[in-house]
Amino acid sequence: MTPTIGVLALQGDVREHVHALESVGATAVGVRRASELDAVDALVIPGGESTTIDKLLRAFDLFEPIRTRLRDGMPAYGSCAGMILLADRVIGGIEGQQTLGGVDVTVRRNAFGRQVDSFETDLAIEGVEGSLHAVFIRAPWVEEVGPAARVVGRVESGPAAGRIVAVRQGPLLVTSFHPEVTGDTRVHQSFVQIVRESL
């Protein structure tokens, strides 16, 4: 079974996510309108600027259709800004900022600091074999995890040691980091497996 996975194509690393998904056996397509969303089994929400993506989702009339699909059990993966958009609660958002929700977490926007504070580290992520090299760019972290969600990755060393950077809730997966920029497709492989199990 080859799942068709949409990549929200409003802003961010769309091409990189499409390439990573296709390299692990999925069919990947850009999603910019509701009719394209209707044709996919799952959705990836890439990094970018969460406040901008929020506004664009509403401008393209995608906010409610995506929210409805998520409530109906559509698998989704969000990296960086995508983590913020899939979180139920956000600290440090701008006035009027909304999230699609679905993951019972409180996320702190830009928690790791500005662009100059971007960093890389090795992590262990549940469901991913071996150590994973993770790239954090103006990344959020998870402050609180509700009972419905499960922590699947934390920063292991350095000033941010112990910070939660990967969470799963049912068919939803979120990471603070950008696996699409490293050429390591194991997170995408893990997500494609989640999608296959949901079909």
Side-chain angles (χ1 to χ4, degrees), residues 1-9 17-18 21 26-46 62 65-66 69-70 72-78 86 171-173 188 190-199:
M1 177 83 195
T2 303
T4 299
I5 300 179
V7 179
L8 186 66
H17 277 293
V18 166
L21 289 164
T27 299
V29 294
V31 170
R32 281 190 197 84
R33 44 184 75 84
S35 59
E36 293 166 340
L37 177 69
D38 292 342
V40 301
D41 301 311
L43 186 67
V44 170
I45 303 176
L62 274 169
I66 292 174
R69 287 286 311 272
L70 291 169
D72 290 345
M74 174 181 70
Y77 166 54
L86 288 172
L172 305 178
L173 177 68
H188 292 85
S190 179
F191 179 59
V192 168
Q193 188 56 37
I194 290 168
V195 177
R196 283 197 175 110
E197 288 165 5
S198 77
L199 292 176

Side-chain angles (χ1 to χ4, degrees), residues 52-121:
T52 302
I53 297 172
D54 170 34
K55 287 175 186 157
L56 289 169
L57 281 168
R58 285 180 271 176
F60 281 77
D61 293 323
L62 274 169
F63 193 91
E64 285 306 327
I66 292 174
R67 190 180 249 185
T68 300
R69 287 286 311 272
L70 291 169
R71 285 188 185 135
D72 290 345
M74 174 181 70
Y77 166 54
S79 62
C80 199
M83 171 188 261
I84 295 167
L85 285 154
L86 288 172
D88 284 346
R89 300 167 296 280
V90 178
I91 298 168
I94 65 166
E95 192 178 336
Q97 181 174 357
Q98 295 181 50
T99 70
L100 297 160
V103 183
D104 186 10
V105 291
T106 302
V107 168
R108 183 175 292 277
R109 195 169 157 258
N110 294 342
F112 286 103
R114 299 165 305 158
Q115 198 86 22
V116 294
D117 300 313
S118 300
F119 73 103
E120 302 180 19
T121 188

